[in-house]
Each structure stands twice: as C-alpha cells, then as structure tokens.
Amino acid sequence: GDLPKCRAVFERWMEWLPDDNGWLSYVRFESRCGQWDKARSVMERYANEYPCAKAFLKFAKWSEYEAKDIALARKVYESALVELEPEESRQARVFKQFTSFEERQGEYERARVIYKHAVKLLKLGEHATEEEDKENDITEYERSKRNELYKSYVSFEKKHGDRQGIEDVILTKQRAEYTKRVTDDPLDYDAWFEYAKLEEENGDVKVTRDIYERAVSNLPPAEEK
C-alpha cells in the first residue's frame, strides 16, 4: 500500500539530515499509523543526530504526552543529564523540565534529588558577578533561567518539603548572602564571623575552618610602631 511508499519518502528525506520539523513530521506519520515502536525509533535517531538539550527535551515530552511511556520519558531525561556535553546538559531548562515531569508523576523525592543536584552543579542561589558569568559562558538568559529554577526549588520545598528540606533551602540562601557580602567587602569581619558561625552550627568542620582561614588571610597588615 501507500504506507511503505510514504515511509520510503521520509527515509530518503532523513538522509538529507533535515531540521527538527522534518524528523518530527516523520514521527507524527508513524504515530498516526499506530506504529509506536517505529515512531520511537525515529525519535531516537533524531536525538542521536542532534545531541542537544532541545532534541532530548522534545523526545522526553513526546514520550510522556504522545507515547504515554513514563519510563521512557524518565530515561530520556536521565540520558540528557549524563550523555550530553556540559554546555547542553547544564542548561537550567533541562533540570526544570525534569523536575516538573517528576512532580506530575507524584515522585516528589525524585524531584528533590534532581533539584539538589542542580543547586550543587549550577550553584543556584549563590551570587555570581558578571565577570564570573562571562568567564563560564553563562548568558544573561541562562542566568535568569537559573534564578527561576532556584525559585521553583524554594517553592517546591515549601509545598512538598519537610522541615529539613525547608531549612536546607534557607541555609543555601544564607550562604549566598554571606558569600556576596565577603566578596563585595573582604574586610567585613562581622560577615566573616557570622558566615563561620552559620557553618559551625550546621556541623561542617572543614567549611568552617576554610572560612576562618579566608577571613584571616584578609586581615589588614599591622601598623608599624
């Protein structure tokens, strides 16, 4: 019939490595024919051909909403974090869509793990100067997305978190504030002392020691008599 002929046309088209729309047209064709395995195979080829955040996120979204395959969607999100190059995998939108996906599934603990991974990896909630962003190739758009992701995390903990989760969020925010204060003014000893006290109260000996050492290294030279 016509199906094999249509498929042959699509296959010929794919040899020319079209943009997203070409691949997604092929996927829609297979989906309309009820050929979900074939549609998935085309999606996999598309993601392999264009290994970027955009392609992987489209694949994950298709898996969840079109194929109704939650396990596959989760696998694609996980692959995006592990297999893509850092400039792709560390985009805030990858984490945002993954956490939102887990929240929709009611998997709050999984979402929390992803949020915490993002906080650590992307240094969410911490103050970063324009120079630091430039040095790390972080655009203004990406910075705004990371700030949004951090706000989503705070909101998530308020909604689903226990006391410890909410305290962790507050702690991250306080750390960011102290880091900004001592960066802006390395001779602000009140800030150094409060920062060290914060870490001391939260039981991190190594970090506390490091803060005291950094504070001492910023002491002004003693006046000669």
Side-chain angles (χ1 to χ4, degrees):
D2 289 337
L3 290 185
K5 287 177 187 171
C6 285
R7 193 169 287 124
V9 171
F10 272 115
E11 281 298 334
R12 182 67 61 86
W13 187 13
M14 295 310 109
E15 287 173 18
W16 291 89
L17 302 179
D19 62 9
D20 301 6
N21 292 329
W23 289 95
L24 297 174
S25 294
Y26 192 3
V27 171
R28 279 193 293 272
F29 162 73
E30 294 293 10
S31 302
R32 278 199 304 271
C33 296
Q35 299 289 329
W36 292 101
D37 285 346
K38 283 190 169 67
R40 173 181 171 169
S41 173
V42 175
M43 262 297 189
E44 284 170 350
R45 285 164 59 194
Y46 161 58
N48 286 332
E49 207 62 60
Y50 295 98
C52 62
K54 183 182 177 185
F56 273 66
L57 293 178
K58 279 181 184 289
F59 187 5
K61 207 170 175 183
W62 175 85
S63 304
E64 181 185 2
Y65 291 106
E66 303 295 326
K68 313 284 186 200
D69 189 335
I70 300 304
L72 176 60
R74 182 173 289 123
K75 190 181 168 193
V76 175
Y77 280 120
E78 287 168 352
S79 298
L81 293 180
V82 176
E83 293 172 17
L84 292 178
E85 291 294 325
E87 63 266 24
E88 294 292 331
S89 65
R90 294 185 182 188
Q91 290 179 25
R93 63 177 176 161
V94 176
F95 291 94
K96 182 70 191 84
Q97 288 197 33
F98 195 1
T99 51
S100 297
F101 161 78
E102 292 297 5
E103 282 189 73
R104 283 194 296 276
Q105 310 316 314
E107 295 282 358
Y108 303 123
E109 200 45 51
R110 282 179 187 268
R112 178 173 289 110
V113 168
I114 299 157
Y115 269 125
K116 287 192 170 181
H117 179 50
V119 167
K120 198 173 177 182
L121 190 69
L122 308 182
K123 297 182 176 170
L124 300 182
E126 293 183 21
H127 172 71
T129 63
E130 278 183 32
E131 290 77 22
E132 285 170 334
D133 276 355
K134 210 170 181 182
E135 205 176 297
N136 295 312
D137 289 328
I138 296 168
T139 61
E140 209 174 303
Y141 174 77
E142 176 61 18
R143 173 55 58 198
S144 73
K145 287 293 165 193
R146 290 186 179 191
N147 292 341
E148 280 175 26
L149 181 61
Y150 182 65
K151 283 176 188 167
S152 295
Y153 173 46
V154 173
S155 170
F156 169 84
E157 285 296 0
K158 283 178 180 171
K159 201 169 165 188
H160 304 292
D162 51 14
R163 192 178 156 200
Q164 184 61 48
I166 294 162
E167 283 175 3
D168 283 348
V169 169
I170 294 166
L171 194 59
T172 304
K173 199 171 190 311
Q174 287 175 321
R175 280 191 182 116
E177 284 164 5
Y178 285 126
T179 302
K180 185 180 185 315
R181 279 178 65 187
V182 298
T183 303
D184 290 348
D185 180 7
L187 301 179
D188 183 349
Y189 297 111
D190 285 340
W192 282 112
F193 183 71
E194 288 163 23
Y195 191 2
K197 195 160 177 273
L198 176 78
E199 295 298 353
E200 218 172 306
E201 285 169 357
N202 287 280
D204 200 322
V205 178
K206 188 176 178 297
V207 176
T208 307
R209 190 180 293 123
D210 178 59
I211 291 166
Y212 277 122
E213 284 171 3
R214 282 163 59 204
V216 169
S217 74
N218 283 296
L219 283 173
E223 288 180 23
E224 289 182 19
K225 290 183 180 178

